[in-house]
Structures are given as structure tokens and as C-alpha cells.
Amino acid sequence: MACQSGRSYPMQSGDTLFLVAQQQLGDGNRWTEILKPDGTQFTETDAENLQVGQEVCLPKLLSSQRRFALYFAWSRPQETTAELGKLENRYPTLFEFRRSIWPAYEWRSNRDLYKQDISGFLDHVVLSDFQHFSEVVFSTTGNPVVVVQRQSDDNTIQLLDENFLRDIDTLIIVSLDHFETAQKPTGVEVSAIKQFLARQDACLLVCPQHDVGSQDDPNSREVEFLHHGDRLVPAQQRIGGFARAILAELGFPIENQFGLNPAKSSIDNSPAPLLKFSELDELNILQGVTTFNLHAHLPHYFIPDFLKNSVRVLAKQSIDPAASTHPFVEAGNSTFNALLWIPPSGDRRANIFVGDATLWSSAFGGVPSLEAFWKNLALM
């Protein structure tokens, strides 16, 4: 039965109405606003006996303000069950992460409260890093950020279909999926996204992360590793397949390349200033934005020659001159493309941006400047 009002949400493994209200409405105490499809409220007994996959109905978002969704394009079952005996192309477990930065993260060492496996890393490190972004957007728009994972632990798949996109006007595809998991949009999703992009109020932000160690040569992989220096990202970590596939389907085969170490300020080790091309930024999306962040392995966004007139580079970041050498640097580059804008054209009335997944994270510095960026988007 479809929701009589509001937007549909399928209950996932581990969900409670309080948790859903906290994640989707910004306040767990608003769980009483979540209704049954027939429009009636859940009793406490109902709430205690919800089933995985059961449909509940969330309040409509305020149409007068921008409505954001963070769409994590990974398959949790594939990411969390990766073989721990291999180093490449998997996320670390939470205990590996704790060990690498000991003693900074020991407050999450309690195994009764925090799973120490890969799922613990995804939940308590990756996803939690996006919470501040959600808070800033909520305070700016009055609308909570809808947070969705493409494939949840119970194998439920949330497609980017017409039903999902109906109540969203700012879609951020956080493409942290490993290439090996082969995440790609379906034909239904491609069609729905194209319809979404035909809306004048719509904005799509496609965010593939780094592609480290793409070459087969072990020596090349070691050179890249020494450049970024992150012990948790060894010989190869290729991420962002879903975003690449989306961009290709839309006619913009932009590639996330490498994992480059960004430059720091010589004054206080904060992120070095962005190289902005303000004359191209007609939307003023970077007004008041001076830096991005210091994630240790950021991608360069390669633009094919045939797209040079339709894709604008709005910002570049400098590469850390003190970092070990890298093939991209040896080729004569001292900066990398950090934010791209694809303005509306033809039947596509929406704006498309391409940038790193960590632009929505508060974990890698530059937060005051990132907050200005987030607010610019929210008020666009």
C-alpha cells in the first residue's frame, strides 16, 4: 500500500522509528510523525514489532527550501564481507583504523557498543563524518538531509528511481563503492535521473573518490603509496565506479584519477588556498570558500578533450610539494582539478557538479570554508 501522504521509507535491519526519525528528520523524538501507509500513527507496540522491508511514511519535505539527499552508492554486503586476508580494494576494519591512529580513537574501542569489523568502520568513521554537513544543511533549509545507502545489510536496494527523486532537488551521489563491487545504475535509474535533470530546480553532485594504484606495475603502486602516505590505503584502492557509470550514461565520461596529497598552509598546516576561477562561477557557488580539505589522497578529475567547452573547472587544489614524487607531478602538474561544473544545456535544465566525496565530510580540516560551500548550495 502506497503512502497516502509523505514519502515512503522501507525499514532496514537495525532500524527503529526513533533511529529513522533521527537520521531522516533530524530529531529522534519526531518518531511519532512517522505514519503507517494508511495515515494512522504507530502505537508503541507497533513500533516494537516492525519488520525489515516494512513501509513507513515520513513527512513531506518543505518544498519552499532545498531538499537534499546523500546517496551512498555502495553495496554494504559486498563492502563489509570483503576478505580480510587481502590488503587491496577493501575498507579497513574499525580495529585496524584504531590501531593505525592509536590512541586517538580509543573512545570507540568498546566492542559491546561499536562493531570492530568493516561495518563498524563504515558506520562509526565514514558515515559519522557526514553528520556535521547534515546539521548545517538542516539549520539552513529547515529540511533534514535524507541519507540512503544503495544496498543495505539486509540486501534491500534503494534505486534512484522516480519515486525516490520526486521529493529531492539536490542529489549528492557519494560514490565510495569499490570498482570490484561493480555498482552501476539500471536503465530505470538512468531514465529517472535524466527526468530529474530536466527540472530547473534540480542539482546533481556526483562525487567519486580516489583511484589509487590503477597500474599493474608494483613499483608504480609503491610510488603512489609513498606519495599519499596513508597506511590504510595500500597498493590499490579503486573507488567511485557508480559515479563514473552515471557520468558516462549522461554523456560526461569524466574520470577520477589517482590519490593526490594536497598542499598545506605554511602558517598553520591548514589546507592551502584554493585556486579558484571566479569568472567561470556564475552561480557564486564558491563565494566565501577559500579552501577544501586535507584528505591525504584526493582525485584529479580528468576531462576528455571533447568536453572542454561544456565542463568548467571552478577550482583546483595544489599538490603538497613536500610529498614524495608522483607520476602526475612528474608530468608537470602542481595542481589538480577539484571541482567541476557542468552548466545546463538543451533539455537538461539542472546543474551538475563533480567533486570529491570528502567535500561533505568534517574529518579532514577546512571546516569553516566547507560550511560556506554547503550553505551556498543550500541557498542556491
Side-chain angles (χ1 to χ4, degrees), residues 78-98:
Q78 292 189 70
E79 299 290 356
T80 59
T81 60
E83 181 187 348
L84 297 185
K86 71 171 188 175
L87 297 179
E88 298 81 10
N89 296 306
R90 72 164 173 88
Y91 285 108
T93 62
L94 183 56
F95 81 81
E96 288 173 317
F97 176 74
R98 285 175 39 226

Side-chain angles (χ1 to χ4, degrees), residues 9-16 20 24 51-54 76 147-149 151-154 156 158:
Y9 176 87
M11 296 295 287
Q12 301 178 20
S13 178
D15 274 351
T16 63
V20 172
Q24 302 294 331
Q51 304 298 311
V52 171
Q54 184 172 340
R76 276 189 68 107
V147 180
V148 175
Q149 300 180 64
Q151 186 173 18
S152 60
D153 287 322
D154 59 14
T156 300
Q158 174 61 67

Side-chain angles (χ1 to χ4, degrees), residues 303-321:
I303 306 170
D305 286 341
F306 77 93
L307 292 177
K308 293 293 174 67
N309 292 328
S310 54
V311 178
R312 303 185 188 183
V313 179
L314 294 187
K316 293 174 178 274
Q317 278 187 261
S318 297
I319 301 170
D320 187 354

Side-chain angles (χ1 to χ4, degrees), residues 85-158:
K86 71 171 188 175
L87 297 179
E88 298 81 10
N89 296 306
R90 72 164 173 88
Y91 285 108
T93 62
L94 183 56
F95 81 81
E96 288 173 317
F97 176 74
R98 285 175 39 226
R99 181 170 184 165
S100 71
I101 63 169
W102 185 89
Y105 221 70
E106 287 309 279
W107 61 282
R108 280 190 166 160
S109 62
N110 188 326
R111 285 179 284 183
D112 293 329
L113 298 177
Y114 306 106
K115 289 184 178 181
Q116 298 298 307
D117 56 7
I118 294 175
S119 71
F121 176 80
L122 297 186
D123 290 334
H124 305 306
V125 178
V126 179
L127 292 174
S128 65
D129 288 346
F130 290 74
Q131 182 61 37
H132 185 55
F133 165 76
S134 295
E135 293 167 352
V136 170
V137 170
F138 179 61
S139 68
T140 305
T141 66
N143 282 324
V145 176
V146 177
V147 180
V148 175
Q149 300 180 64
R150 180 169 180 78
Q151 186 173 18
S152 60
D153 287 322
D154 59 14
N155 290 313
T156 300
I157 296 178
Q158 174 61 67

